[in-house]
Amino acid sequence: MPDPEKGLTYKDAGVDIDAGEALVDRIGPAAKSTRRRGADADLGGFGGLFDLKAAGFKDPILVSGTDGVGTKLKLAIDTRRFADIGQDLVAMCVNDIVVQGAEPLFFLDYYATGKLDVEAAAVTVEGIARACKESGCALIGGETAEMPGLYAKGDFDLAGFAVGAVERDAILPKLDTMKAGDVLIGVASSGVHSNGYSLVRKVVEKSGLSLGDAAPFAAGKSLGEALLTPTRLYVRAALEAMQTGGVKGLAHITGGGITDNLPRCLPEGLDGEVDLSAITVLPVFQWLAKQAAISESEMLRTFNCGIGMVAVADEKNAGHVIDAFQEAGDRAVRIGKLVPGSGEAKVVYRGALKL
C-alpha cells in the first residue's frame, strides 16, 4: 500500500492552492475600492450579486459584453509590464456596452496561467480594479486558473465579462431617427488600443528593433512601453455626451476599424461619409504604415488610426455633443456626415489619411 506521506499532492502536479488564496487576499482591497450602488464588491462567494433596484433603474434592459486583450498581452509578458494591461481588458468590454447606451454595472475577470505568479497576477488585477473604478463599474468577482502543461512558462491569458443596464427608452442606436446630414463625431484614441497587435508584432520584427529600444514615435519611451499605451476608457465621457440628448448612435472602433464598426450603428439606406483629412493620425500609426508599407485601406480596416469612438448626432446638437466629450477630457471633432445610400450601411471615405 502506498505511503500517504509520500503520495502526490495537487502542488506536486503544478497547482498551488495557497498561492491562489494569497492572490485573493492581495486583490481584495482593490476590488472593494470599486464599490458602487447595487454592489459591495466583496470577493469569495460562488457568484457575484448586483441589485438593479438599488442602482436606481426602473425599466432596465441588461447589456453584456466579453473580450480579451489579444496578442497585446504577449508584449506585456515580454516586457514584464502588467500595470496597464488590466485597463485594456476592462475598456474592451465596457466601451462596447456604453455604445448601446448602457451604464456598465459590474465586471468579472478570468486569469489563466500555467504557474501562478502572485505578483504579476496581483498587479494585473489591480489594474483591472482601477479601470473598473474609473468606469463606475464594480469588480464583483473573477476566476484564477492554474493549468500546468497548457501554457508556456511565464505565459498567461486574460478575459473579461461586463454587464450594464440601460432604460428601455434610451437604448442606442436610435436608427429610426437617423437621417442624411447627421454629423459624425470622432473621439480620439490613445494609441493602438487592443486590436491589430499580431500585425504590430510583425512590424516590430521587421523593423529590427527590440522592445527595449527607444520608440521612434514617442520621445522618452521605449518601444514596448509606447506600444502598451492602454486602451482609452470612454464610459464617463460617452454617458455625459448622452445626457445632451443629441446622441443618436455610437460605434466603438475596434478590430475592423471605422470601415467595419461604424456601419454597425447605422440603418439601411444611410452611409457614413468620413473625411480622412479631419482625422489626426497618431505617430504610432504613421510609423507602422511607413515601416511595413501598409496601405491606407489596410490601416483603416486593421487599426483605429486615431479615432476610438464615433458618435452620430443631428446638426443642431452636434456642438453640444462635442463639448460634452471635450469637457470630460476626450478630444472630439467632426469627421463626416451621413449620406443617402442603398442597401446595408457602409463607409465612404473622402480625402486621405496623413500617413
Side-chain angles (χ1 to χ4, degrees), residues 203-223:
V203 175
V204 171
E205 182 181 339
K206 180 180 175 65
S207 75
L209 296 174
S210 73
L211 295 175
D213 290 336
F217 52 86
K221 293 185 177 182
S222 69
L223 182 58

Side-chain angles (χ1 to χ4, degrees), residues 276-328:
L276 294 177
S277 67
I279 296 174
T280 299
V281 180
L282 300 179
V284 61
F285 297 114
Q286 294 171 332
W287 180 77
L288 289 167
K290 291 176 181 175
Q291 193 66 44
I294 304 172
S295 69
E296 181 182 81
S297 61
E298 185 71 15
M299 291 293 296
L300 285 165
R301 203 172 179 205
T302 305
F303 301 115
N304 66 64
C305 293
I307 298 295
M309 183 170 283
V310 177
V312 181
D314 59 57
E315 177 67 40
K316 178 179 64 176
N317 290 310
H320 298 304
V321 173
I322 290 172
D323 288 345
F325 275 110
Q326 303 264 84
E327 289 167 9

Side-chain angles (χ1 to χ4, degrees), residues 139-155:
L139 177 59
I140 64 171
E143 171 69 7
T144 302
E146 226 177 352
M147 295 185 281
L150 190 59
Y151 294 90
K153 184 179 180 181
D155 281 354

Side-chain angles (χ1 to χ4, degrees), residues 57-61 100 165-172 174:
F57 288 92
K58 298 178 176 60
D59 185 22
I61 298 294
Q100 302 284 164
V166 55
E167 297 292 0
R168 192 179 302 271
D169 60 1
I171 296 171
L172 294 179
K174 298 178 180 178

Side-chain angles (χ1 to χ4, degrees), residues 151-299:
Y151 294 90
K153 184 179 180 181
D155 281 354
F156 65 91
D157 198 12
L158 277 179
F161 182 87
V163 173
V166 55
E167 297 292 0
R168 192 179 302 271
D169 60 1
I171 296 171
L172 294 179
K174 298 178 180 178
L175 299 178
D176 58 346
T177 70
M178 294 183 186
K179 64 184 185 301
D182 283 348
V183 177
L184 296 175
I185 298 165
V187 187
S189 68
S190 54
V192 184
H193 285 185
S194 297
N195 299 102
Y197 273 85
S198 294
L199 179 54
V200 169
R201 290 166 58 232
K202 283 287 186 183
V203 175
V204 171
E205 182 181 339
K206 180 180 175 65
S207 75
L209 296 174
S210 73
L211 295 175
D213 290 336
F217 52 86
K221 293 185 177 182
S222 69
L223 182 58
E225 181 183 6
L227 290 174
L228 283 169
T229 299
T231 307
R232 190 147 186 84
L233 294 160
Y234 292 110
V235 171
R236 293 194 185 278
L239 291 174
E240 287 294 323
M242 290 177 215
Q243 290 300 310
T244 66
V247 176
K248 296 183 177 184
L250 290 166
H252 182 202
I253 309 305
T254 55
I258 295 176
T259 305
D260 288 351
N261 286 290
L262 179 56
R264 296 168 67 181
C265 76
L266 301 180
E268 286 192 11
L270 284 176
D271 294 339
E273 183 181 85
V274 175
D275 177 6
L276 294 177
S277 67
I279 296 174
T280 299
V281 180
L282 300 179
V284 61
F285 297 114
Q286 294 171 332
W287 180 77
L288 289 167
K290 291 176 181 175
Q291 193 66 44
I294 304 172
S295 69
E296 181 182 81
S297 61
E298 185 71 15
M299 291 293 296

